[in-house]
Amino acid sequence: MQKTNANLSRLRTIAHKLQNDSAAGLLLMAAAALALAWANSPLRHLYEAISEAHLGPANLGLNMSVTHWAQDGLLTVFFFVVGLELKQEFVTGSLREPKQAALPMLAAIFGMVGPAALYTTLVFLQGAPTAASGWAIPAATDIAFAMAILAIFGKGLPPAARTFLLTLAVVDDLLGILVIAIFYPQGALSFVDLGLCLLAIAAFGALAQLRLGRWYLLLPLAVLAWYFMYRSGIHATIAGVGLGMVVPAKRRAGEEESLTHSMEKKVTPYSAGVAVPIFAFFAAGVNIVDTEGGAAAMLTHPVAVAVMIALPLGKCLGIFGSVLALTKLTPLRLGGGVDYADILPIAFVAGIGFTVALLIASLAFSASGEFTEAGRLGVVLGTAISALIGALLLRRRVSNPTRGSQKA
């Protein structure tokens, strides 16, 4: 009995730590680093064999590789948490007041346009116009990873700086979801399957509204929603967003916290501790040593180069440039003690585009495995560059906290 209690206590401690952005970000980095090392080690054939092993019932169209399951299945848990966060932010959070959220929301839009435009320009300049379909790869920001870097290296910044990055990343996630749904469909759209998915999501939302949130009632509906979304031709993970968005975000009388918040606390350990690290492990394992031309050829591939430059530089140009222009040319202003010198490192931190960027890299080049591998490598390296520059600039900013009225 004591051993059981001790094990439960350890699990609760781990779950609590995974609620922390820093712990989740470090675990994500560790999974990606392990994958990259294993995929280029003497045991790389074992990594490939595990990644390509097929599981699931073929009669339901679900006999997929382990990598495919991680991408289309497990990652849905992450997108469910994203849906919960979006609902919370729209109803009671930073997106509830459009006037206050306008500047980071517009910065998020330009923060996607900047990397997309820079990526497209770079692949054309390198003579690889067929790679233009990967324009959305560097446009995404990874909330957990970015917030982890800010939490570790940005201690001392005004609380409004965290709110700015969180708002920007949430809007970026919403735009990324729309990009996946609209520009990267998985086949011909089936309105019947989409309708069945929406029915399952509606039933999930009705039970949540009635506070009949028992897992044995909600989980089967969530699985059905995922399955019909998978069959519909829209990427299956979008079902997770829909399920999260129908959960009520306002507290009822007698409730200590909203249902979105309580569900997020329960599901986040599974998302941050299981789903996202496993996805990262199978998505980030790019084999460099066996490619034609070796590591040098992969590192100088037009797609890899474009992504690794567009993530840090494109995000910085889009976010910092738009904030500078909007605050000079419109009535919009930075608030809460935040100034331009805070926005510069935040713009680079927003270049950490790991989870969603890796997903888009796997969807953008259906006809070319070489382009997909190069895109994934670009995401890993571009994220590392963004994290390093962002961390250095944050440390420098924290050590020199002199503040003015929005002056860099």
Side-chain angles (χ1 to χ4, degrees):
M1 186 68 177
Q2 285 183 335
K3 188 175 181 180
T4 301
N5 290 336
N7 289 335
L8 287 173
S9 178
R10 288 193 195 98
L11 288 174
R12 291 192 192 99
T13 301
I14 292 170
H16 179 71
K17 286 182 178 179
L18 288 172
Q19 299 282 348
N20 182 279
D21 291 326
S22 302
L26 290 171
L27 183 59
L28 181 60
M29 285 188 279
L34 176 60
L36 196 57
W38 190 354
N40 292 280
S41 75
L43 297 175
R44 55 187 175 275
H45 301 298
L46 178 58
Y47 175 86
E48 184 178 341
I50 295 171
S51 301
E52 296 304 318
H54 276 62
L55 305 168
N59 58 332
L60 294 177
L62 295 176
N63 186 243
M64 302 185 292
S65 69
V66 172
T67 298
H68 198 172
W69 273 112
Q71 174 186 302
D72 282 21
L74 278 178
L75 205 58
T76 306
V77 180
F78 164 77
F79 277 96
F80 176 65
V81 174
V82 170
L84 292 172
E85 291 174 344
L86 285 171
K87 182 65 174 288
Q88 190 74 40
E89 293 299 322
F90 275 119
V91 176
T92 62
S94 58
L95 300 179
R96 181 168 56 94
E97 297 292 342
K99 289 183 180 179
Q100 295 180 11
L103 187 58
M105 287 175 72
L106 289 170
I109 295 171
F110 284 102
M112 293 192 77
V113 172
L118 183 56
Y119 170 91
T120 304
T121 302
L122 288 170
V123 293
F124 272 93
L125 288 175
Q126 294 176 92
T130 55
S133 60
W135 61 270
I137 297 172
T141 295
D142 189 294
I143 292 181
F145 208 155
M147 297 307 292
I149 295 297
L150 185 65
I152 295 169
F153 298 100
K155 292 177 181 177
L157 292 184
R162 184 183 188 280
T163 303
F164 185 96
L165 178 58
L166 180 61
T167 304
L168 184 149
V170 167
V171 174
D172 183 284
D173 261 359
L174 177 60
L175 295 173
I177 290 161
L178 293 174
V179 165
I180 292 170
I182 296 169
F183 294 100
Y184 300 109
Q186 299 299 284
L189 184 62
S190 169
F191 288 100
V192 173
D193 287 310
L194 182 58
L196 291 170
C197 172
L198 294 177
L199 282 175
I201 291 174
F204 185 98
L207 290 177
Q209 288 287 347
L210 294 170
R211 301 308 194 263
L212 298 174
R214 301 291 185 270
W215 70 268
Y216 51 81
L217 295 175
L218 296 180
L219 186 58
L221 287 170
V223 172
L224 282 174
W226 172 85
Y227 177 65
F228 288 121
M229 184 67 82
Y230 175 81
R231 287 172 54 94
S232 74
I234 299 173
H235 199 268
T237 53
I238 304 299
V241 181
L243 291 165
M245 291 289 284
V246 297
V247 176
K250 288 186 177 180
R251 289 184 296 170
R252 285 184 178 177
E255 292 182 339
E256 294 183 1
E257 58 185 0
S258 67
L259 196 54
T260 48
H261 188 60
S262 63
M263 277 196 179
E264 185 181 347
K265 286 202 301 185
K266 291 175 182 176
V267 179
T268 292
Y270 297 101
S271 173
V274 179
V276 173
I278 290 177
F279 165 75
F281 177 77
F282 288 109
V286 181
N287 185 330
I288 301 173
V289 296
D290 290 333
T291 55
E292 187 177 348
M298 183 60 78
L299 289 169
T300 56
H301 192 283
V303 173
V305 171
V307 173
M308 76 173 76
I309 292 176
L311 270 171
L313 185 58
K315 282 288 186 183
C316 179
L317 291 173
I319 294 169
F320 185 74
S322 65
V323 168
L324 194 65
L326 289 167
T327 53
K328 296 291 186 183
L329 303 175
T330 75
L332 295 175
R333 294 291 181 270
L334 292 165
V338 177
D339 57 28
Y340 299 138
D342 300 314
I343 298 300
L344 183 61
I346 285 174
F348 275 103
V349 169
I352 298 172
F354 204 80
T355 308
V356 178
L358 284 172
L359 175 60
I360 295 176
S362 68
L363 301 176
F365 308 113
S366 56
S368 175
E370 174 194 332
F371 280 17
T372 298
E373 294 294 288
R376 289 175 175 175
L377 180 62
V379 169
V380 174
L381 296 178
T383 290
I385 294 168
S386 297
L388 179 61
I389 296 175
L392 290 173
L393 290 176
L394 284 170
R395 288 291 295 270
R396 180 182 177 186
R397 178 57 182 151
V398 169
S399 65
N400 182 25
T402 304
R403 299 193 170 273
S405 56
Q406 301 187 5
K407 293 179 182 178

